[in-house]
Amino acid sequence: MVSFDHREPGTDPAVWTPFLDTLSAAPVDLGGIGSVVVLAPHPDDETLGAGGLIATAADAGLPTHVVLLTRGERSHPDSPTTTASELATVRDDEFTRALATLHPGATASSVGIPDGGTREHRDEVTDALRRALDDAARPTLVVAPWRGDGHRDHRIAGEVAEAVTADATGVSLLTYPIWAWHWDEPSASAQPWDRARVLPLADAVRERKRAALDAYASQIRPLSGAAGDEAIIDDRHAAHHLRSAEWFFAPEPTASRSRESFDAHYERKPEGWDFERSWYERRKRAVTLAALPRERYRSALELGCATGVLTAALAERADAVLGTDISAAPLDRAAVRAPGARFVRASLPAEWPSGRWDLVVMSEVGYYLSPADLDETIDRVLASLDDDGVLVACHWRHPDDEAVSSGDAVDARLAERWPRPALVRHVEPDFVLSVLPGPGVVSVARAEGLVR
């Protein structure tokens, strides 16, 4: 956490200008966006960090919703002329007027978390953002504070936004700095400028942002001449936010779980996840095998075969089986369990095996892949699957600290990317299983001639 004092002069806005002029950031493009959701820890954060984007969304006819986490009642804790309760009422009104100035059709929800208390109310922040996303038209752009901004409420809001959007389908994220302009220095900046995105502001949009900020009289002007009533956003700080462009950061790309982490897991637990003794594992395996629409397959590929327990069962249903795993450690055990199968160490999707398959099994693998790697894996399966083949995907639905995403997120992405509806989709509290067909797959009854 950065330590700063808003009463200090801070970095001169003019110092940032030549630095920003050197950047070749990708533009923020609202084309194709269905709606915008803005996460604001305090009244005025939405205007300072994303007021131009909100106004631009209004001009584009995009539905926009602002989730306001606190009422900002602690902006002047030492004020001798007002109370936190009185200030909350003032800031409620300022927020309403500012948002209407930026986007007359925008909606808002106020969570009412105590100012400065987002860390203690993280679950409420998470629930509020998820509710907003439930009602938002896809694709949705979420705009939230940059988690490195130096203010605790901004950090929590940014962390929650990253976590929630990582698991959400059809949702992208941009984050905005507020106080970093004040405490950071271009010569040794802590901000992730390699991931910067820029939104140039038309003159009319910039003027609406200026007018919206002017609605926050309690923040941009002193409450009185007394000590403790100083302006929070003085002219010097406001200049950071009234530039001809707004700056945002794209999230850091998520990496797939590493080979080293799996090697370490098998060093601790040579049998992996207790595949043979656990009733959960045995039952899930039986459900997976029962979901296969054909009794027999020509060629099966198992992604992430681990110690080969499921592979051995697949070998009884297929003429040829290839099992792959990112770690070498479990493959020796797999070869003993399924002597009729072949095994290869491979980091997928980069080291994709050659061949054609009429059965591909992806069990408890997808949520260890980054979004980009998951999409490439889906593409690889589609390209190597025979017309009469199927992909069977089965994933754990509970939290996993070592996973990149979740079972539900993987299943949703498969459904979104797969060109045909699922033959089977089995959902229960512990796992979700989908059987996704190639274009030549017919029902079991039709294949046996029981129906025409």
Side-chain angles (χ1 to χ4, degrees):
M1 180 67 69
V2 176
S3 177
F4 67 90
D5 189 333
H6 73 274
R7 294 167 295 188
E8 295 293 327
T11 302
D12 187 341
V15 174
W16 282 106
T17 301
F19 171 80
L20 296 174
D21 288 344
T22 67
L23 299 179
S24 57
V28 175
D29 184 7
L30 296 182
I33 295 295
S35 63
V36 176
V37 173
V38 179
L39 195 60
H42 314 96
D44 76 9
D45 287 335
E46 82 296 329
T47 297
L48 292 167
L53 188 147
I54 294 171
T56 302
D59 293 346
L62 292 178
T64 300
H65 184 83
V66 178
V67 180
L68 181 63
L69 299 181
T70 81
R71 300 172 71 189
E73 69 275 10
R74 294 187 66 248
S75 66
H76 291 77
D78 301 321
S79 172
T81 64
T82 190
T83 65
S85 177
E86 291 169 342
L87 194 53
T89 301
V90 169
R91 299 199 70 183
D92 286 344
D93 181 61
E94 291 173 341
F95 171 76
T96 299
R97 288 187 286 114
L99 185 56
T101 299
L102 295 171
H103 191 323
T107 57
S109 53
S110 180
V111 184
I113 292 169
D115 190 358
T118 53
R119 184 174 63 185
E120 294 77 17
H121 296 268
R122 183 187 288 264
D123 288 347
E124 292 175 51
V125 178
T126 301
D127 291 344
L129 180 54
R130 284 178 173 161
R131 285 195 301 271
L133 289 177
D134 285 343
D135 297 332
R138 298 291 196 271
T140 307
L141 173 62
V142 173
V143 186
W146 175 50
R147 64 177 179 175
D149 197 47
H151 189 297
R152 185 173 73 167
D153 285 341
H154 295 196
R155 175 175 63 83
I156 299 302
E159 290 174 353
V160 167
E162 288 186 9
V164 170
T165 57
D167 284 347
T169 302
V171 177
S172 57
L173 173 68
L174 290 175
T175 61
Y176 55 82
I178 297 286
W179 288 109
W181 296 110
H182 176 77
W183 57 258
D184 199 12
E185 293 280 353
S187 59
S189 181
Q191 299 177 74
W193 295 108
D194 59 318
R195 296 186 271 116
R197 302 291 184 268
V198 63
L199 178 67
L201 303 183
D203 289 344
V205 167
R206 191 178 177 190
E207 286 307 308
R208 275 154 62 195
K209 180 173 181 176
R210 188 186 303 274
L213 183 57
D214 197 54
Y216 285 106
S218 71
Q219 305 301 296
I220 65 173
R221 301 182 185 90
L223 300 180
S224 76
D229 276 353
E230 299 86 357
I232 304 300
I233 306 295
D234 59 19
D235 289 345
R236 182 181 173 96
H237 186 72
H240 291 296
H241 302 280
L242 294 175
R243 298 180 181 275
S244 58
E246 284 181 340
W247 293 85
F248 302 89
F249 303 121
E252 187 173 3
T254 304
S256 296
R257 186 175 168 187
S258 69
R259 173 170 280 163
E260 291 74 17
S261 70
F262 281 101
D263 287 344
H265 175 86
Y266 283 108
E267 186 174 344
R268 296 191 307 269
K269 298 181 178 180
E271 284 297 330
W273 282 264
D274 199 17
F275 298 112
E276 289 187 302
R277 293 186 302 171
S278 164
W279 168 238
Y280 164 78
E281 291 289 349
R282 287 185 286 131
R283 176 178 173 274
K284 181 188 66 176
R285 192 159 54 250
V287 172
T288 300
L289 294 167
L292 298 180
R294 283 181 14 218
E295 185 176 10
R296 191 141 196 95
Y297 291 87
R298 297 181 298 275
S299 182
L301 170 65
E302 184 184 5
L303 308 178
C305 64
T307 57
V309 179
L310 177 59
T311 322
L314 293 174
E316 297 178 2
R317 301 276 295 270
D319 298 334
V321 178
L322 174 64
T324 73
D325 201 273
I326 192 173
S327 179
L331 294 181
D332 290 340
R333 287 178 168 77
V336 172
R337 281 199 173 95
R342 293 189 301 118
F343 297 94
V344 62
R345 184 185 188 189
S347 178
L348 302 178
E351 299 170 341
W352 192 262
S354 61
R356 301 287 302 178
W357 325 97
D358 58 344
L359 172 61
V360 177
V361 177
M362 181 167 64
S363 182
E364 313 292 9
V365 173
Y367 46 62
Y368 293 128
L369 300 175
S370 70
D373 282 350
L374 176 61
D375 277 353
E376 186 177 346
T377 297
I378 296 170
D379 291 339
R380 297 271 194 169
V381 172
L382 285 166
S384 59
L385 192 69
D386 289 338
D387 284 353
D388 61 347
V390 295
L391 167 66
V392 180
C394 184
H395 290 89
W396 172 255
R397 298 186 67 208
H398 298 290
D400 181 342
D401 291 340
E402 296 184 320
V404 172
S405 64
S406 68
D408 286 340
V410 171
D411 189 72
R413 189 58 175 164
L414 282 165
E416 183 178 0
R417 293 287 316 282
W418 203 261
R420 286 162 290 279
L423 283 179
V424 177
R425 187 167 187 270
H426 172 84
V427 184
E428 58 180 78
D430 295 328
F431 67 90
V432 55
L433 181 145
S434 290
V435 178
L436 302 165
V441 173
V442 298
S443 75
V444 174
R446 192 174 299 279
E448 291 195 353
L450 302 178
V451 295
R452 292 182 182 274

